[in-house]
Amino acid sequence: MTDELVRVYVPATVPMLAMLREQGLAAAEAHAVTPALREWYAEGDEEELEYVAFTRAAQDALQLLRADPGAPRRRVVVSADLPAAAVSRGNAELGSSTVRLNAPVPVTAVAAIHLDGAEAVEDVAAAANVVTEALAGDPDAQFTVDGAEDHELEWYDVTELDLLLRSAS
């Protein structure tokens, strides 16, 4: 019997990616399609629910950037397929997509790496500077964060990790 896999979206930074191959991606939380998210967004199909979880991971990546001023100003989201036993329920609040990760995400579980392109760096830098204020309800800060969210993250295969690290640093 095989363990069911859960697709998780892990917010990250470029420096966190540098450790992915040897140590795995160390993160306490990620986003996924949870029962609470399904209940909140009942009319959404699976693809829409996955997009909500992915978008929330990208928003959390802004907070990671704020905490690491030396990191390149690019949001990173790592999509990974983990055994259900490696993922615990996070916040059970209606609409939450948060899950807890019980161990670092191994590179072998990574399905794709998503990263802002060079054209997004300025907007992402501005958004990282005000993301806390946006979360607190500041409309001007939210406008700045929305500017970063207008940029779609680029998709990379895990085999492109080294190339990605060279070009994003």
Side-chain angles (χ1 to χ4, degrees), residues 39-162:
E39 185 178 341
W40 171 73
Y41 195 32
E43 72 279 1
D45 64 20
E46 193 68 19
E47 189 173 319
E48 289 170 315
L49 293 169
E50 295 279 345
Y51 187 74
V52 169
F54 175 86
T55 301
R56 290 179 178 172
Q59 292 166 346
D60 283 357
L62 282 175
Q63 294 177 61
L64 294 173
L65 288 173
R66 179 161 183 150
D68 184 358
R73 305 284 93 179
R74 295 181 182 205
R75 296 169 299 164
V76 177
V77 174
V78 176
S79 298
D81 295 318
L82 298 176
V87 179
S88 301
R89 287 189 104 146
N91 183 345
E93 182 178 317
L94 185 63
S96 176
S97 60
T98 304
V99 294
R100 287 186 176 47
L101 301 178
N102 301 330
V105 176
V107 70
T108 55
V110 174
I113 299 167
H114 311 272
L115 175 82
D116 276 309
E119 75 287 343
V121 169
E122 188 176 317
D123 289 337
V124 170
N129 289 337
V130 299
V131 66
T132 303
E133 292 84 352
L135 291 169
D138 180 318
D140 292 332
Q142 185 60 53
F143 182 79
T144 301
V145 168
D146 290 345
E149 291 177 354
D150 286 343
H151 297 277
E152 293 288 329
L153 278 71
E154 298 174 353
W155 181 96
Y156 295 89
D157 187 79
V158 69
T159 60
E160 298 175 281
L161 179 58
D162 293 332

